[in-house]
Every structure is written in structure tokens, then in C-alpha cells.
Amino acid sequence: MLQKALTHLFIGQKPTFKPSSKSKMKLIKDNLTENFELSIEVIDAKFGQGYAQAHPELIGGFMQAAAVDLLMQELREKLVELIDKP
């Protein structure tokens, strides 16, 4: 469902659902967990096994970029809501 909503946001259409606060928080938590794990995989794949653990600042940078991306998505959603208001 999240992918469908984001696809609609990127092409300028209003999402067809609105998650509740609890489900939205779960989506955010899941997203952060996934990005954390992905950051380790990507860093280790590029620089060798254990590199991410030895260089946590790279994980931090990856997580900051993911947080900015999530914020952008939230802002886009709010702007779509404002534009669609009568």
C-alpha cells in the first residue's frame, strides 16, 4: 500500500488511502529498520564485510539521507492534501 501511495504522490495524484496514526508510526519504524539494515548491507558490499560496523558514521549518513527522503515524502503528501482542499 505504501508503494502505491508513493507512486501516486510522485505522479501528482492523490493517494487512495490514509493510514491511521498507529499504522503510520509502524510504517515509519519499519522503514527506519529497513534503511538501517540496508545501510549496513550496502556499505559492506562496497567496502568489505565489517566495514559498516567499523565506520558507524557512514551508517549515520545513510540514515540521515533516508530521514530527509522520508520528510520529503511527508511534505509532498501534505502539499497534495492542501492543493486538493476545496
Side-chain angles (χ1 to χ4, degrees), residues 35-36 39-40 43 52-53 55-64:
N35 283 326
F36 178 76
S39 69
I40 294 169
I43 293 166
Q53 185 175 2
H55 297 85
E57 68 278 6
L58 295 177
I59 297 171
F62 194 103
M63 295 300 292
Q64 285 180 334

Side-chain angles (χ1 to χ4, degrees), residues 17-35:
F17 76 97
K18 190 168 192 164
S20 68
S21 292
K22 279 188 176 182
S23 66
K24 197 168 204 173
M25 290 305 294
K26 181 168 177 8
L27 287 172
I28 291 169
K29 179 184 171 197
D30 291 347
N31 185 289
L32 289 173
T33 301
E34 183 179 323
N35 283 326

